[in-house]
Amino acid sequence: MQLSVIILNYNVQYFLELCLLSVQSAVENIDAEIIVVDNNSPDGSCAMVRERFPHVKLIENKQNSGFPKGNNIGVAEAIGEYICILNPDTVVAEDTFIKVLAFAKKQKNLGIIGVKLIDGAGNFLPESKRGVPTPWVAFTKITALYKLFPKVVCFGKYYASHLTKNQTGQVEILVGAFMVVQRQLYKDIGGFDEDCFMYSDDIDLSFMALKKGKNNFYFHETTVIHFKGESTIKDETYMKRFQEAMNFFYKKHFKVSMLFSIFMKLGILFFSFVKMFQGKSKIKNEIEHFVLFSKDKNLANRLNTVIKKNLDFRDLNAEKLVFLESNANNSPVEIILDAHFVTFKECIGFMELQKNNNCTFKIIPKNTDFLIGSDNSIERGTVIKIGV
């Protein structure tokens, strides 16, 4: 078997459903298996998987054992030559795995492959490619030197600025939302370190691959949506676990002075508070204009009864997936993409194209009664029931 896709889920039923639909399409022409490991979700995720995706191997944990252990459980059941660690709040294109596997087979001494990630508004996520957060690199991140002096090479290592978002090349650290690695290498490394509950596990796995003498790659030729924040509410528990994760990585891999340890603790505390408050809801401009791309006029009528605002129906029987008018007054526009008639690859490309046009996006997955999406990378996403 070529590929095993491991999806660790906790309490994100609707995002998991969308993710599985995209993965299902992406492995149609690949000898692959899909494994969902559920960390004791109370939201009906397991029932949904059993009903809608009976071919998916479902592992139901009796407790939330964290990201590392949950993924290790999934990999232990996998039989693919390659494994993909995939978040449930992601959407892959139909050709994502074909492209990544073709690239993987051309590499010698391969470590881990990551891809270009965008958030639910189409914006590039810089954590798609990173450097090892050594004390110095961490210092440039915490003090925002990489933002103040973006052209200074020694300040840009945290986000691997030697590569642009549209360049494929070697990097040190990749993000756990999407990682492709040979199953044997994953086992040789020891998998995710279960002493870390979450948040620095992907940094540690990437670093362990480097220590094995392997080459990690950022691959820009396919894009994956990562809605972010769906499995975690950024509250006091988040802050505590983030601090623990950073402390775990430094204690495991670096020897630092007492003075720097104190500085790092203060920096981690500050950075954690920033992240926590980033997750709080913000006042948004109310959307008055909606655009539906579909071939289903009845769907447009149903949405009209739910949204009760200006809905522009773009009939894909008569026109292409193109946002024809420029948003001259820069008013907020919500674009709704019907995945019955728009491929996931088209959804992703359209989001990237329209990202600077004050647009938000929602997707209606096939054979569902909801639309789903996320307006930015720091808040929980939105699920709206539309009926059948």
Side-chain angles (χ1 to χ4, degrees):
M1 181 172 285
Q2 283 182 282
L3 178 68
S4 298
V5 182
I6 314 296
I7 304 171
L8 177 66
N9 177 69
Y10 179 69
N11 213 32
V12 287
Q13 173 187 339
Y14 296 105
F15 283 91
L16 174 63
E17 188 169 355
L18 175 62
C19 176
L20 284 171
L21 286 168
S22 74
V23 172
Q24 187 174 254
S25 296
V27 299
E28 278 187 0
N29 298 313
I30 299 173
D31 183 15
E33 63 178 351
I34 306 170
I35 300 173
V36 170
V37 182
D38 185 79
N39 265 350
N40 199 29
S41 299
D43 67 346
S45 290
C46 292
M48 180 276 295
V49 173
R50 286 193 296 268
E51 180 179 347
R52 287 217 63 185
F53 305 95
H55 60 285
V56 169
K57 184 167 187 177
L58 176 63
I59 301 172
E60 300 182 55
N61 290 337
K62 300 305 179 185
Q63 61 183 3
N64 185 352
S65 52
F67 184 89
K69 186 172 183 178
N71 276 296
N72 288 344
I73 289 170
V75 174
E77 297 295 321
I79 60 174
E81 178 185 357
Y82 294 88
I83 60 170
C84 177
I85 303 297
L86 187 67
N87 269 28
D89 56 347
T90 57
V91 177
V92 301
E94 285 78 2
D95 58 357
T96 288
F97 295 127
I98 292 173
K99 286 184 173 181
V100 171
L101 290 176
F103 176 79
K105 290 172 183 177
K106 294 177 182 178
Q107 308 309 313
K108 295 180 180 179
N109 210 32
L110 178 64
I112 302 171
I113 300 174
V115 297
K116 184 196 294 186
L117 299 173
I118 60 171
D119 66 14
N123 300 303
F124 175 70
L125 292 171
E127 62 266 29
S128 301
K129 53 182 181 66
R130 292 176 289 177
V132 175
T134 61
W136 166 252
V137 172
F139 176 80
T140 65
K141 166 65 175 176
I142 291 171
T143 57
L145 287 172
Y146 75 100
K147 286 185 177 179
L148 296 173
F149 306 99
K151 294 184 180 180
V152 179
V153 175
C154 65
F155 291 161
K157 291 187 177 180
Y158 188 88
Y159 287 127
S161 61
H162 67 285
L163 294 177
T164 70
K165 65 181 180 180
N166 293 320
Q167 285 181 301
T168 292
Q170 288 189 36
V171 296
E172 294 171 328
I173 305 298
L174 298 159
V175 65
F178 184 104
M179 285 179 155
V180 169
V181 59
Q182 288 181 306
R183 182 166 56 93
Q184 188 57 53
L185 175 59
Y186 186 95
K187 290 184 175 181
D188 291 344
I189 292 172
F192 287 111
D193 191 325
E194 295 180 14
D195 288 335
C196 177
F197 188 84
M198 61 193 327
Y199 299 132
S200 68
D201 31 57
D202 49 4
I203 298 174
D204 180 64
L205 190 76
S206 300
F207 192 62
M208 293 298 291
L210 296 178
K211 291 178 74 172
K212 282 280 186 181
K214 302 297 182 180
N215 300 320
N216 297 335
F217 285 91
Y218 165 72
F219 180 67
H220 86 281
E221 293 180 29
T222 187
T223 302
V224 170
I225 302 171
H226 181 206
F227 291 108
K228 295 191 65 175
E230 293 310 315
S231 297
T232 304
I233 299 173
K234 292 177 174 62
D235 55 10
E236 289 75 11
T237 301
Y238 171 92
M239 186 183 73
K240 180 175 181 292
R241 286 178 177 166
F242 183 80
Q243 291 181 68
E244 290 172 349
M246 293 306 295
N247 286 330
F248 158 82
F249 183 75
Y250 280 101
K251 287 180 180 178
K252 181 174 179 178
H253 296 293
F254 297 102
K255 293 181 179 179
V256 295
S257 68
M258 180 65 70
L259 180 63
F260 191 82
S261 295
I262 294 172
F263 169 79
M264 282 304 303
K265 286 180 180 179
L266 291 174
I268 290 170
L269 183 63
F270 170 76
F271 192 44
S272 301
F273 269 114
V274 170
K275 279 187 167 288
M276 183 178 70
F277 287 110
Q278 277 180 337
K280 304 298 183 182
S281 297
K282 297 180 179 180
I283 297 174
K284 300 177 184 177
N285 293 325
E286 188 173 359
I287 296 172
E288 296 291 339
H289 186 197
F290 295 78
V291 179
L292 169 65
F293 285 92
S294 178
K295 295 182 180 180
D296 187 349
K297 182 64 177 177
N298 290 329
L299 173 61
N301 294 333
R302 294 205 311 274
L303 279 175
N304 263 318
T305 64
V306 175
I307 295 172
K308 297 179 181 178
K309 292 184 180 174
N310 180 27
L311 178 67
D312 181 8
F313 175 57
R314 298 299 181 85
D315 189 348
L316 293 175
N317 285 306
E319 56 184 298
K320 296 181 179 179
L321 183 64
V322 178
F323 192 47
L324 300 178
E325 302 88 357
S326 62
N327 194 7
N329 59 2
N330 203 35
S331 59
V333 177
E334 178 113 303
I335 296 175
I336 303 171
L337 301 165
D338 184 355
H340 291 83
F341 309 107
V342 182
T343 67
F344 290 113
K345 184 174 181 178
E346 287 173 333
C347 288
I348 293 167
F350 194 70
M351 289 168 63
E352 288 187 285
L353 182 66
Q354 297 292 337
K355 65 180 181 294
N356 295 319
N357 206 19
N358 202 16
C359 297
T360 54
F361 305 90
K362 298 294 181 290
I363 296 173
I364 302 177
K366 284 185 179 180
N367 303 319
T368 66
D369 63 348
F370 62 88
L371 56 88
I372 189 169
S374 177
D375 297 344
N376 56 60
S377 61
I378 59 176
E379 294 180 303
R380 298 293 295 267
T382 302
V383 177
I384 300 174
K385 291 294 190 76
I386 58 176
V388 294

